[in-house]
Every structure is written in structure tokens, then in C-alpha cells.
Amino acid sequence: MAFDMEEQFSEECVDSGIHEECGVFGAYDFDGNDIASTVYYGLFALQHRGQESCGLAVSDTKGERGNVKFHKDLGLVSEVLRQDVVRKYEGDIGIGHVRYSTTGASVAENAQPLVLSYVKGTLALAHNGNLVNTEALKWELIQTGAIFHTTTDSEVIAFHIARERVHSATVEEAVHKTVEKIRGGYALVIMSPRKLIGARDPYGLKPLCLGKRDNAYVLASESCALTSVGAEFIRDIEPGEIVTITKNGLKSSKLTEKKKHAHCVFEYIYFARLDSTMDGVKVYDARIRGGKSLAKSYPVEADLVTGVPESGLPAAKGFSEESGIPFGFAFYKNSYIGRTFIKPTQKERESSVHLKLSVLDAVVKGKRIVLVDDSIVRGTTIANLIRMLKEAGALEVHVRISSPPFLHPCYFGTDVPSNDQLIAAQHSTEEICKMIGADSLGYMEIDYLEGMAGGLPICKACFDGKYPMVIPDENNLQNDFEIHKI
């Protein structure tokens, strides 16, 4: 029976691509200089982590207590935080956020930072990640009269911090009590009118690092954001660590130590920017190693190795170095088109592929091509690229993927869809190869992942189903919540 990939993987998989996570940023200038422009440039450097919405919140630590100003909306950093907007936000402490939704709808109300006014003052929060016990925590709040204005788990975190603050001596104590309750992957940047706080989940699933520029401290999801604002990288925030920055300096506390860490491997495969370093591992080097392992596992006779811009290019370079096959650019990328997965419908995404990439005919004509990409989820994008290469005269297209097949959903903030929407969960490698029109197909072998990530302990549950923590039964949680709601 003929298989219509577009029919099966279009309507039901409208939002099933591998989406970016979110990006968080925070800065505190002890000299009292305005920080809004620093937050802007930090978010601009993190734009690759989320293109749906963004925002910033600032406070003047010498001004009226509780006077936190914020601005957020749907759109890119350059669209939402225009120069005339940023100039209005004066203050020496600030946080910011870029978002792609993994929990909650794509609406302006879910943009971050979240800003709450409560009995103890004002709290602003930016969150990257996803919780696995959101419904239980939400029901606990609803029982005490909480009313939610967003559909995100980030609001649940903020509400719990505010509630704990009422019974705590300091906001950092309230944060500590809250992160003892929440389970999942998270990097948090939190601002009170006088303090900047960063927190990272005990497994280290989500990245967060610390930098310093002159007399200012900076927190960011990636080191590239530190570089963009002229800050020197100091260190990564450790898994389970909470850092509090005040006018008196920086202090650190730790949650109960986890024996096992589980850094998200997809930061090194795809999410992180190429010039970032995470937990001591350079992202560029990790992707080169990934490409080399592909060449060892799935050698092929070919004339040219190329990558799908941008994330496939370093792995393609590694494949070339290991195999001895020349590396070259087969695609021209239109830099003024956003990432294709951000489009709301499958047809729009497919159209965007042609708008975004065009084939360099002279490079590929009459050649056997190795095409390297970071992943296959639906299969429609890679199928379009293979078709484009062959229409341009490529004799063969051999696909190599720098990650193993996706077989399981992610619960920690990477928007991997459910099993029935994952092409590799429904079909063998041979079937997928035929469906996408490739001459051969090879995935990264799972045993190579830790070596690719520099020997770090990693979470690879989306490939092998072995999650670093127990995942609650979502159906039972949802049913319980609906019953209580009624």
C-alpha cells in the first residue's frame, strides 16, 4: 500500500516539530546603571531559543519598593522590545525571557516574565523548562482560592513562591521551599525589587550560567548571551543550586544533592547556539564529534557532505573530517526568514522551507550527496530537501542524522510530540528511508551520545524511554483536576 507521508503527518502534527526551549536572562548592576538595554541584548542573543514571545521586567533598587515595570508581547525581541520601548524602563536590576510554548497556548497572556503583586510586594519570574507535577501543585493552589491568568506551569511556580514568601523571612527562602516541591526540568531567573535569584533543577536538565561585567552580575541560559553584553563567564550554576544576588554580593545554597545528573542532550545536538559552552562542553566541539561518530557508524561512498543549515552544518563538518569526503554548502539560506517550525500550520511550514532554503545547483549536480541533519520528527522537511537536491541534479542523497530516532515524548520542556506523532515510533528506518526518498538513512547510535556530550551524564529519554525521574500519569492527573473543577 502506498504511504502518503504528507497526509499522515500534516494535520495531526501541526505543532509536532522539535521546538526550541525558552531562554532566560537577568542582570543586576551594583553601580546603579540602567540595565534594560543589557537585558535586551542578552535576549537578542538567546532569540534562537524561542521566537514566539518575549519580555523584560526592571526595578530600581533605590526607588520605591515594589515598583517593578515590565513589557511583554508576542513577537521577536526586535519587534516587542523596540528602542523607544526599552528607553522607558529605567532600573538597575532586570530579567527577561524569550519563549516557545511547551506548556500553555501561544497567546500574549502567556508571555514572560510573569509579574505578581502580592502582600509582600512584587515578584517577577522567567522560566525555561517544564514541570511534571504541575496539576498537583495547581490543585493545591486552587483549593486556597488562587485564580490563574495563564495556562503555563510557570505561573504555578510563581504563585507557590508568593505563597511561601508570606511565611518566610526572605524571598530566597521562599524560592528554596518552592523548588523543593516542584519536579521536572527548570532554570529560573527571579527578581524581587531588591534581589536577583537564579535556580537550576537538581538534575541539571536545563542550563543556566553566571557572568560578571564590571560591577554587574549576569544570569543567562547560555554563555553566548554573556558574551553579547560584554560579561565574562564565571561558571555554570550547578544542578540544584540557588544563587541570590543582592547589593551585598552573591551567595549560594543547594537543594538536597542528587547523585545522578541528567543534562539535556539536545542542547548539544540542536538547541544551544554554536558559540556557547554548557557545563564545560563546547557546543561546536560536541556537534563535530557527533558527525564523526556518524561517519564511523554509517560510512558511504559519496562526492560531497553537506548539512541542513544551521544546526546540521557542524555535524556535517565532522562527518567530512572523519570520512575524508569533501565538505561543502549545498543550500543558500535566506537569513530574513524565521525558523520553519514556528509556522502555525504544516502547509505554512512546508512553504517556508522553499522560502528559506534554495539549492546551489552547480554544487550538487551530478554528485552523490551526504545530507546531515540534527533530527527527523515528521519527516516532511527532510523529504522536501531531498526532493530539491535531486531536482537540482544530485545523483544520490544519503541522509545521516546526528541524533537517534525519536521514540518517546519529552516531559521536561523539549516539545517532542507524543509517540503516535513520531515517525520513528511508527516505522522502521528502512520504511522512513523510502518515505523521505533517501538512498540510505543512518541515525546516531545511542551509545555515542555521552561521548558527543563530552562525557556528561545526559538525559536521553526521548530516545530510550528511560526518564531520570518518575513521570506521573498525566491522564489520571487531568481527570482528577477536571473532577475537582466540576
Side-chain angles (χ1 to χ4, degrees), residues 447-483:
D447 291 341
Y448 281 110
L449 286 176
E450 286 193 5
M452 183 208 70
L456 284 176
I458 55 174
C459 176
K460 48 188 176 182
C462 50
F463 307 127
D464 63 9
K466 297 177 182 177
Y467 297 96
M469 65 189 79
V470 176
I471 306 300
D473 187 326
E474 287 185 323
N475 291 328
N476 288 341
L477 282 173
Q478 185 61 36
N479 290 339
D480 289 346
F481 181 61
E482 292 297 331
I483 291 170

PDB file of all heavy atoms in Angstrom, residues 447-483:
ATOM      1  N   ASP A 447      24.678   4.843  21.859  1.00  0.00           N
ATOM      2  CA  ASP A 447      25.855   4.663  22.715  1.00  0.00           C
ATOM      3  C   ASP A 447      26.895   5.766  22.516  1.00  0.00           C
ATOM      4  O   ASP A 447      27.797   5.926  23.333  1.00  0.00           O
ATOM      5  CB  ASP A 447      26.490   3.299  22.450  1.00  0.00           C
ATOM      6  CG  ASP A 447      25.620   2.145  22.930  1.00  0.00           C
ATOM      7  OD1 ASP A 447      24.731   2.391  23.777  1.00  0.00           O
ATOM      8  OD2 ASP A 447      25.823   1.011  22.457  1.00  0.00           O
ATOM      9  N   TYR A 448      26.796   6.524  21.433  1.00  0.00           N
ATOM     10  CA  TYR A 448      27.759   7.584  21.164  1.00  0.00           C
ATOM     11  C   TYR A 448      27.364   8.915  21.827  1.00  0.00           C
ATOM     12  O   TYR A 448      28.156   9.863  21.814  1.00  0.00           O
ATOM     13  CB  TYR A 448      27.881   7.826  19.661  1.00  0.00           C
ATOM     14  CG  TYR A 448      28.750   6.819  18.938  1.00  0.00           C
ATOM     15  CD1 TYR A 448      28.194   5.891  18.068  1.00  0.00           C
ATOM     16  CD2 TYR A 448      30.135   6.808  19.117  1.00  0.00           C
ATOM     17  CE1 TYR A 448      28.985   4.979  17.385  1.00  0.00           C
ATOM     18  CE2 TYR A 448      30.939   5.897  18.448  1.00  0.00           C
ATOM     19  CZ  TYR A 448      30.355   4.980  17.580  1.00  0.00           C
ATOM     20  OH  TYR A 448      31.146   4.077  16.924  1.00  0.00           O
ATOM     21  N   LEU A 449      26.152   9.008  22.378  1.00  0.00           N
ATOM     22  CA  LEU A 449      25.651  10.301  22.843  1.00  0.00           C
ATOM     23  C   LEU A 449      26.479  10.894  23.982  1.00  0.00           C
ATOM     24  O   LEU A 449      26.784  12.086  23.978  1.00  0.00           O
ATOM     25  CB  LEU A 449      24.186  10.183  23.265  1.00  0.00           C
ATOM     26  CG  LEU A 449      23.168  10.050  22.124  1.00  0.00           C
ATOM     27  CD1 LEU A 449      21.771   9.838  22.689  1.00  0.00           C
ATOM     28  CD2 LEU A 449      23.200  11.280  21.227  1.00  0.00           C
ATOM     29  N   GLU A 450      26.821  10.086  24.968  1.00  0.00           N
ATOM     30  CA  GLU A 450      27.578  10.629  26.097  1.00  0.00           C
ATOM     31  C   GLU A 450      28.951  11.117  25.651  1.00  0.00           C
ATOM     32  O   GLU A 450      29.434  12.152  26.123  1.00  0.00           O
ATOM     33  CB  GLU A 450      27.691   9.593  27.210  1.00  0.00           C
ATOM     34  CG  GLU A 450      26.379   9.407  27.972  1.00  0.00           C
ATOM     35  CD  GLU A 450      26.554   8.626  29.262  1.00  0.00           C
ATOM     36  OE1 GLU A 450      27.703   8.311  29.627  1.00  0.00           O
ATOM     37  OE2 GLU A 450      25.536   8.317  29.896  1.00  0.00           O
ATOM     38  N   GLY A 451      29.594  10.386  24.737  1.00  0.00           N
ATOM     39  CA  GLY A 451      30.876  10.841  24.213  1.00  0.00           C
ATOM     40  C   GLY A 451      30.740  12.136  23.445  1.00  0.00           C
ATOM     41  O   GLY A 451      31.594  13.013  23.542  1.00  0.00           O
ATOM     42  N   MET A 452      29.655  12.267  22.683  1.00  0.00           N
ATOM     43  CA  MET A 452      29.404  13.502  21.959  1.00  0.00           C
ATOM     44  C   MET A 452      29.283  14.676  22.916  1.00  0.00           C
ATOM     45  O   MET A 452      29.778  15.773  22.656  1.00  0.00           O
ATOM     46  CB  MET A 452      28.123  13.371  21.133  1.00  0.00           C
ATOM     47  CG  MET A 452      27.806  14.576  20.279  1.00  0.00           C
ATOM     48  SD  MET A 452      26.057  14.764  19.971  1.00  0.00           S
ATOM     49  CE  MET A 452      25.474  15.225  21.601  1.00  0.00           C
ATOM     50  N   ALA A 453      28.617  14.442  24.066  1.00  0.00           N
ATOM     51  CA  ALA A 453      28.410  15.492  25.059  1.00  0.00           C
ATOM     52  C   ALA A 453      29.572  15.592  26.043  1.00  0.00           C
ATOM     53  O   ALA A 453      29.397  16.079  27.173  1.00  0.00           O
ATOM     54  CB  ALA A 453      27.111  15.245  25.816  1.00  0.00           C
ATOM     55  N   GLY A 454      30.741  15.153  25.635  1.00  0.00           N
ATOM     56  CA  GLY A 454      31.938  15.334  26.446  1.00  0.00           C
ATOM     57  C   GLY A 454      31.977  14.495  27.700  1.00  0.00           C
ATOM     58  O   GLY A 454      32.679  14.836  28.659  1.00  0.00           O
ATOM     59  N   GLY A 455      31.225  13.392  27.725  1.00  0.00           N
ATOM     60  CA  GLY A 455      31.214  12.523  28.889  1.00  0.00           C
ATOM     61  C   GLY A 455      30.252  12.940  29.984  1.00  0.00           C
ATOM     62  O   GLY A 455      30.219  12.319  31.053  1.00  0.00           O
ATOM     63  N   LEU A 456      29.473  13.997  29.758  1.00  0.00           N
ATOM     64  CA  LEU A 456      28.490  14.423  30.761  1.00  0.00           C
ATOM     65  C   LEU A 456      27.404  13.361  30.944  1.00  0.00           C
ATOM     66  O   LEU A 456      27.013  12.694  29.981  1.00  0.00           O
ATOM     67  CB  LEU A 456      27.811  15.717  30.323  1.00  0.00           C
ATOM     68  CG  LEU A 456      28.576  17.029  30.450  1.00  0.00           C
ATOM     69  CD1 LEU A 456      27.736  18.154  29.863  1.00  0.00           C
ATOM     70  CD2 LEU A 456      28.910  17.331  31.904  1.00  0.00           C
ATOM     71  N   PRO A 457      26.881  13.220  32.165  1.00  0.00           N
ATOM     72  CA  PRO A 457      25.683  12.398  32.343  1.00  0.00           C
ATOM     73  C   PRO A 457      24.505  13.108  31.691  1.00  0.00           C
ATOM     74  O   PRO A 457      24.269  14.290  31.955  1.00  0.00           O
ATOM     75  CB  PRO A 457      25.525  12.314  33.859  1.00  0.00           C
ATOM     76  CG  PRO A 457      26.238  13.521  34.389  1.00  0.00           C
ATOM     77  CD  PRO A 457      27.361  13.794  33.425  1.00  0.00           C
ATOM     78  N   ILE A 458      23.799  12.434  30.814  1.00  0.00           N
ATOM     79  CA  ILE A 458      22.785  13.098  29.993  1.00  0.00           C
ATOM     80  C   ILE A 458      21.425  12.439  30.146  1.00  0.00           C
ATOM     81  O   ILE A 458      21.304  11.277  30.516  1.00  0.00           O
ATOM     82  CB  ILE A 458      23.187  13.092  28.498  1.00  0.00           C
ATOM     83  CG1 ILE A 458      23.466  11.667  28.029  1.00  0.00           C
ATOM     84  CG2 ILE A 458      24.363  14.009  28.257  1.00  0.00           C
ATOM     85  CD1 ILE A 458      23.738  11.537  26.545  1.00  0.00           C
ATOM     86  N   CYS A 459      20.394  13.223  29.822  1.00  0.00           N
ATOM     87  CA  CYS A 459      19.045  12.691  29.670  1.00  0.00           C
ATOM     88  C   CYS A 459      18.853  12.382  28.186  1.00  0.00           C
ATOM     89  O   CYS A 459      18.972  13.262  27.345  1.00  0.00           O
ATOM     90  CB  CYS A 459      17.988  13.692  30.135  1.00  0.00           C
ATOM     91  SG  CYS A 459      16.283  13.118  29.851  1.00  0.00           S
ATOM     92  N   LYS A 460      18.547  11.124  27.891  1.00  0.00           N
ATOM     93  CA  LYS A 460      18.285  10.691  26.514  1.00  0.00           C
ATOM     94  C   LYS A 460      16.967   9.924  26.448  1.00  0.00           C
ATOM     95  O   LYS A 460      16.786   9.034  25.631  1.00  0.00           O
ATOM     96  CB  LYS A 460      19.444   9.841  26.008  1.00  0.00           C
ATOM     97  CG  LYS A 460      19.892   8.738  26.961  1.00  0.00           C
ATOM     98  CD  LYS A 460      21.173   8.073  26.483  1.00  0.00           C
ATOM     99  CE  LYS A 460      21.639   7.046  27.515  1.00  0.00           C
ATOM    100  NZ  LYS A 460      22.909   6.389  27.127  1.00  0.00           N
ATOM    101  N   ALA A 461      16.038  10.326  27.327  1.00  0.00           N
ATOM    102  CA  ALA A 461      14.768   9.605  27.456  1.00  0.00           C
ATOM    103  C   ALA A 461      13.932   9.657  26.180  1.00  0.00           C
ATOM    104  O   ALA A 461      13.160   8.738  25.919  1.00  0.00           O
ATOM    105  CB  ALA A 461      13.966  10.162  28.629  1.00  0.00           C
ATOM    106  N   CYS A 462      14.060  10.724  25.397  1.00  0.00           N
ATOM    107  CA  CYS A 462      13.281  10.803  24.163  1.00  0.00           C
ATOM    108  C   CYS A 462      13.736   9.749  23.160  1.00  0.00           C
ATOM    109  O   CYS A 462      13.039   9.471  22.183  1.00  0.00           O
ATOM    110  CB  CYS A 462      13.349  12.200  23.556  1.00  0.00           C
ATOM    111  SG  CYS A 462      15.020  12.853  23.381  1.00  0.00           S
ATOM    112  N   PHE A 463      14.896   9.145  23.416  1.00  0.00           N
ATOM    113  CA  PHE A 463      15.396   8.088  22.546  1.00  0.00           C
ATOM    114  C   PHE A 463      15.224   6.686  23.143  1.00  0.00           C
ATOM    115  O   PHE A 463      14.938   5.744  22.416  1.00  0.00           O
ATOM    116  CB  PHE A 463      16.880   8.314  22.237  1.00  0.00           C
ATOM    117  CG  PHE A 463      17.188   9.679  21.711  1.00  0.00           C
ATOM    118  CD1 PHE A 463      18.166  10.461  22.296  1.00  0.00           C
ATOM    119  CD2 PHE A 463      16.507  10.195  20.620  1.00  0.00           C
ATOM    120  CE1 PHE A 463      18.470  11.726  21.815  1.00  0.00           C
ATOM    121  CE2 PHE A 463      16.789  11.462  20.131  1.00  0.00           C
ATOM    122  CZ  PHE A 463      17.770  12.231  20.727  1.00  0.00           C
ATOM    123  N   ASP A 464      15.419   6.557  24.463  1.00  0.00           N
ATOM    124  CA  ASP A 464      15.367   5.218  25.061  1.00  0.00           C
ATOM    125  C   ASP A 464      14.255   5.032  26.086  1.00  0.00           C
ATOM    126  O   ASP A 464      14.073   3.929  26.610  1.00  0.00           O
ATOM    127  CB  ASP A 464      16.715   4.854  25.699  1.00  0.00           C
ATOM    128  CG  ASP A 464      17.109   5.760  26.861  1.00  0.00           C
ATOM    129  OD1 ASP A 464      16.276   6.574  27.316  1.00  0.00           O
ATOM    130  OD2 ASP A 464      18.264   5.664  27.335  1.00  0.00           O
ATOM    131  N   GLY A 465      13.485   6.083  26.400  1.00  0.00           N
ATOM    132  CA  GLY A 465      12.361   5.961  27.326  1.00  0.00           C
ATOM    133  C   GLY A 465      12.757   5.855  28.783  1.00  0.00           C
ATOM    134  O   GLY A 465      11.893   5.636  29.644  1.00  0.00           O
ATOM    135  N   LYS A 466      14.040   6.047  29.107  1.00  0.00           N
ATOM    136  CA  LYS A 466      14.500   5.940  30.490  1.00  0.00           C
ATOM    137  C   LYS A 466      14.589   7.346  31.080  1.00  0.00           C
ATOM    138  O   LYS A 466      15.599   8.034  30.950  1.00  0.00           O
ATOM    139  CB  LYS A 466      15.856   5.240  30.542  1.00  0.00           C
ATOM    140  CG  LYS A 466      15.804   3.804  30.034  1.00  0.00           C
ATOM    141  CD  LYS A 466      17.192   3.166  30.041  1.00  0.00           C
ATOM    142  CE  LYS A 466      17.135   1.749  29.489  1.00  0.00           C
ATOM    143  NZ  LYS A 466      18.481   1.130  29.423  1.00  0.00           N
ATOM    144  N   TYR A 467      13.522   7.765  31.735  1.00  0.00           N
ATOM    145  CA  TYR A 467      13.445   9.115  32.282  1.00  0.00           C
ATOM    146  C   TYR A 467      14.202   9.195  33.612  1.00  0.00           C
ATOM    147  O   TYR A 467      14.215   8.229  34.386  1.00  0.00           O
ATOM    148  CB  TYR A 467      11.984   9.511  32.478  1.00  0.00           C
ATOM    149  CG  TYR A 467      11.205   9.561  31.187  1.00  0.00           C
ATOM    150  CD1 TYR A 467      10.441   8.467  30.767  1.00  0.00           C
ATOM    151  CD2 TYR A 467      11.248  10.677  30.360  1.00  0.00           C
ATOM    152  CE1 TYR A 467       9.751   8.499  29.564  1.00  0.00           C
ATOM    153  CE2 TYR A 467      10.560  10.720  29.158  1.00  0.00           C
ATOM    154  CZ  TYR A 467       9.813   9.622  28.767  1.00  0.00           C
ATOM    155  OH  TYR A 467       9.134   9.655  27.578  1.00  0.00           O
ATOM    156  N   PRO A 468      14.823  10.334  33.904  1.00  0.00           N
ATOM    157  CA  PRO A 468      15.601  10.447  35.138  1.00  0.00           C
ATOM    158  C   PRO A 468      14.749  10.545  36.397  1.00  0.00           C
ATOM    159  O   PRO A 468      15.277  10.492  37.501  1.00  0.00           O
ATOM    160  CB  PRO A 468      16.396  11.738  34.921  1.00  0.00           C
ATOM    161  CG  PRO A 468      15.589  12.529  33.953  1.00  0.00           C
ATOM    162  CD  PRO A 468      14.948  11.523  33.051  1.00  0.00           C
ATOM    163  N   MET A 469      13.438  10.716  36.229  1.00  0.00           N
ATOM    164  CA  MET A 469      12.523  10.767  37.376  1.00  0.00           C
ATOM    165  C   MET A 469      11.216  10.097  36.983  1.00  0.00           C
ATOM    166  O   MET A 469      10.941   9.886  35.799  1.00  0.00           O
ATOM    167  CB  MET A 469      12.270  12.221  37.800  1.00  0.00           C
ATOM    168  CG  MET A 469      11.536  13.040  36.756  1.00  0.00           C
ATOM    169  SD  MET A 469      11.454  14.806  37.149  1.00  0.00           S
ATOM    170  CE  MET A 469      13.096  15.352  36.675  1.00  0.00           C
ATOM    171  N   VAL A 470      10.417   9.758  37.983  1.00  0.00           N
ATOM    172  CA  VAL A 470       9.122   9.133  37.722  1.00  0.00           C
ATOM    173  C   VAL A 470       8.191  10.164  37.104  1.00  0.00           C
ATOM    174  O   VAL A 470       8.064  11.288  37.595  1.00  0.00           O
ATOM    175  CB  VAL A 470       8.510   8.580  39.021  1.00  0.00           C
ATOM    176  CG1 VAL A 470       7.106   8.013  38.764  1.00  0.00           C
ATOM    177  CG2 VAL A 470       9.417   7.501  39.605  1.00  0.00           C
ATOM    178  N   ILE A 471       7.548   9.788  36.004  1.00  0.00           N
ATOM    179  CA  ILE A 471       6.604  10.667  35.328  1.00  0.00           C
ATOM    180  C   ILE A 471       5.197  10.315  35.771  1.00  0.00           C
ATOM    181  O   ILE A 471       4.745   9.180  35.573  1.00  0.00           O
ATOM    182  CB  ILE A 471       6.712  10.520  33.790  1.00  0.00           C
ATOM    183  CG1 ILE A 471       8.158  10.733  33.335  1.00  0.00           C
ATOM    184  CG2 ILE A 471       5.765  11.498  33.104  1.00  0.00           C
ATOM    185  CD1 ILE A 471       8.729  12.077  33.662  1.00  0.00           C
ATOM    186  N   PRO A 472       4.463  11.253  36.392  1.00  0.00           N
ATOM    187  CA  PRO A 472       3.086  10.964  36.815  1.00  0.00           C
ATOM    188  C   PRO A 472       2.204  10.620  35.624  1.00  0.00           C
ATOM    189  O   PRO A 472       2.466  11.019  34.487  1.00  0.00           O
ATOM    190  CB  PRO A 472       2.629  12.274  37.469  1.00  0.00           C
ATOM    191  CG  PRO A 472       3.883  13.004  37.797  1.00  0.00           C
ATOM    192  CD  PRO A 472       4.881  12.614  36.750  1.00  0.00           C
ATOM    193  N   ASP A 473       1.155   9.857  35.891  1.00  0.00           N
ATOM    194  CA  ASP A 473       0.175   9.517  34.859  1.00  0.00           C
ATOM    195  C   ASP A 473      -0.613  10.774  34.533  1.00  0.00           C
ATOM    196  O   ASP A 473      -1.462  11.212  35.311  1.00  0.00           O
ATOM    197  CB  ASP A 473      -0.760   8.412  35.357  1.00  0.00           C
ATOM    198  CG  ASP A 473      -1.686   7.900  34.261  1.00  0.00           C
ATOM    199  OD1 ASP A 473      -2.093   8.704  33.410  1.00  0.00           O
ATOM    200  OD2 ASP A 473      -2.007   6.703  34.270  1.00  0.00           O
ATOM    201  N   GLU A 474      -0.340  11.355  33.375  1.00  0.00           N
ATOM    202  CA  GLU A 474      -0.969  12.626  33.009  1.00  0.00           C
ATOM    203  C   GLU A 474      -2.486  12.493  32.891  1.00  0.00           C
ATOM    204  O   GLU A 474      -3.225  13.404  33.237  1.00  0.00           O
ATOM    205  CB  GLU A 474      -0.394  13.122  31.681  1.00  0.00           C
ATOM    206  CG  GLU A 474       1.015  13.641  31.792  1.00  0.00           C
ATOM    207  CD  GLU A 474       1.493  14.225  30.476  1.00  0.00           C
ATOM    208  OE1 GLU A 474       1.150  13.683  29.417  1.00  0.00           O
ATOM    209  OE2 GLU A 474       2.185  15.241  30.524  1.00  0.00           O
ATOM    210  N   ASN A 475      -2.940  11.355  32.393  1.00  0.00           N
ATOM    211  CA  ASN A 475      -4.385  11.177  32.219  1.00  0.00           C
ATOM    212  C   ASN A 475      -5.101  11.181  33.555  1.00  0.00           C
ATOM    213  O   ASN A 475      -6.135  11.822  33.729  1.00  0.00           O
ATOM    214  CB  ASN A 475      -4.664   9.862  31.486  1.00  0.00           C
ATOM    215  CG  ASN A 475      -4.208   9.919  30.043  1.00  0.00           C
ATOM    216  OD1 ASN A 475      -4.246  10.969  29.413  1.00  0.00           O
ATOM    217  ND2 ASN A 475      -3.751   8.784  29.521  1.00  0.00           N
ATOM    218  N   ASN A 476      -4.518  10.481  34.551  1.00  0.00           N
ATOM    219  CA  ASN A 476      -5.147  10.456  35.869  1.00  0.00           C
ATOM    220  C   ASN A 476      -5.115  11.836  36.507  1.00  0.00           C
ATOM    221  O   ASN A 476      -6.091  12.266  37.133  1.00  0.00           O
ATOM    222  CB  ASN A 476      -4.430   9.448  36.775  1.00  0.00           C
ATOM    223  CG  ASN A 476      -4.718   8.012  36.374  1.00  0.00           C
ATOM    224  OD1 ASN A 476      -5.702   7.754  35.662  1.00  0.00           O
ATOM    225  ND2 ASN A 476      -3.885   7.085  36.809  1.00  0.00           N
ATOM    226  N   LEU A 477      -3.995  12.530  36.353  1.00  0.00           N
ATOM    227  CA  LEU A 477      -3.901  13.876  36.910  1.00  0.00           C
ATOM    228  C   LEU A 477      -4.946  14.788  36.285  1.00  0.00           C
ATOM    229  O   LEU A 477      -5.635  15.547  36.971  1.00  0.00           O
ATOM    230  CB  LEU A 477      -2.508  14.450  36.659  1.00  0.00           C
ATOM    231  CG  LEU A 477      -1.382  13.957  37.564  1.00  0.00           C
ATOM    232  CD1 LEU A 477      -0.058  14.495  37.061  1.00  0.00           C
ATOM    233  CD2 LEU A 477      -1.601  14.349  39.007  1.00  0.00           C
ATOM    234  N   GLN A 478      -5.079  14.709  34.960  1.00  0.00           N
ATOM    235  CA  GLN A 478      -6.035  15.564  34.273  1.00  0.00           C
ATOM    236  C   GLN A 478      -7.455  15.220  34.678  1.00  0.00           C
ATOM    237  O   GLN A 478      -8.288  16.095  34.910  1.00  0.00           O
ATOM    238  CB  GLN A 478      -5.873  15.420  32.752  1.00  0.00           C
ATOM    239  CG  GLN A 478      -6.751  16.363  31.948  1.00  0.00           C
ATOM    240  CD  GLN A 478      -6.446  17.821  32.223  1.00  0.00           C
ATOM    241  OE1 GLN A 478      -5.292  18.191  32.437  1.00  0.00           O
ATOM    242  NE2 GLN A 478      -7.453  18.651  32.247  1.00  0.00           N
ATOM    243  N   ASN A 479      -7.744  13.914  34.790  1.00  0.00           N
ATOM    244  CA  ASN A 479      -9.092  13.504  35.190  1.00  0.00           C
ATOM    245  C   ASN A 479      -9.418  13.988  36.592  1.00  0.00           C
ATOM    246  O   ASN A 479     -10.516  14.476  36.863  1.00  0.00           O
ATOM    247  CB  ASN A 479      -9.225  11.977  35.125  1.00  0.00           C
ATOM    248  CG  ASN A 479      -9.213  11.458  33.691  1.00  0.00           C
ATOM    249  OD1 ASN A 479      -9.497  12.206  32.763  1.00  0.00           O
ATOM    250  ND2 ASN A 479      -8.861  10.195  33.515  1.00  0.00           N
ATOM    251  N   ASP A 480      -8.447  13.851  37.508  1.00  0.00           N
ATOM    252  CA  ASP A 480      -8.663  14.321  38.881  1.00  0.00           C
ATOM    253  C   ASP A 480      -8.924  15.808  38.891  1.00  0.00           C
ATOM    254  O   ASP A 480      -9.811  16.302  39.579  1.00  0.00           O
ATOM    255  CB  ASP A 480      -7.427  14.015  39.744  1.00  0.00           C
ATOM    256  CG  ASP A 480      -7.289  12.540  40.029  1.00  0.00           C
ATOM    257  OD1 ASP A 480      -8.269  11.801  39.798  1.00  0.00           O
ATOM    258  OD2 ASP A 480      -6.190  12.111  40.458  1.00  0.00           O
ATOM    259  N   PHE A 481      -8.147  16.554  38.104  1.00  0.00           N
ATOM    260  CA  PHE A 481      -8.294  18.012  38.074  1.00  0.00           C
ATOM    261  C   PHE A 481      -9.653  18.399  37.512  1.00  0.00           C
ATOM    262  O   PHE A 481     -10.329  19.286  38.027  1.00  0.00           O
ATOM    263  CB  PHE A 481      -7.183  18.619  37.234  1.00  0.00           C
ATOM    264  CG  PHE A 481      -7.239  20.116  37.164  1.00  0.00           C
ATOM    265  CD1 PHE A 481      -7.127  20.881  38.300  1.00  0.00           C
ATOM    266  CD2 PHE A 481      -7.396  20.755  35.946  1.00  0.00           C
ATOM    267  CE1 PHE A 481      -7.173  22.261  38.230  1.00  0.00           C
ATOM    268  CE2 PHE A 481      -7.447  22.133  35.871  1.00  0.00           C
ATOM    269  CZ  PHE A 481      -7.324  22.882  37.000  1.00  0.00           C
ATOM    270  N   GLU A 482     -10.101  17.697  36.450  1.00  0.00           N
ATOM    271  CA  GLU A 482     -11.401  18.014  35.856  1.00  0.00           C
ATOM    272  C   GLU A 482     -12.511  17.718  36.840  1.00  0.00           C
ATOM    273  O   GLU A 482     -13.496  18.464  36.936  1.00  0.00           O
ATOM    274  CB  GLU A 482     -11.578  17.191  34.563  1.00  0.00           C
ATOM    275  CG  GLU A 482     -10.646  17.586  33.441  1.00  0.00           C
ATOM    276  CD  GLU A 482     -10.873  19.006  32.962  1.00  0.00           C
ATOM    277  OE1 GLU A 482     -12.025  19.484  33.059  1.00  0.00           O
ATOM    278  OE2 GLU A 482      -9.905  19.639  32.513  1.00  0.00           O
ATOM    279  N   ILE A 483     -12.408  16.605  37.580  1.00  0.00           N
ATOM    280  CA  ILE A 483     -13.440  16.261  38.572  1.00  0.00           C
ATOM    281  C   ILE A 483     -13.513  17.338  39.644  1.00  0.00           C
ATOM    282  O   ILE A 483     -14.578  17.810  40.026  1.00  0.00           O
ATOM    283  CB  ILE A 483     -13.146  14.897  39.193  1.00  0.00           C
ATOM    284  CG1 ILE A 483     -13.354  13.793  38.138  1.00  0.00           C
ATOM    285  CG2 ILE A 483     -14.032  14.634  40.407  1.00  0.00           C
ATOM    286  CD1 ILE A 483     -12.856  12.427  38.589  1.00  0.00           C
TER     287      ILE A 483
END
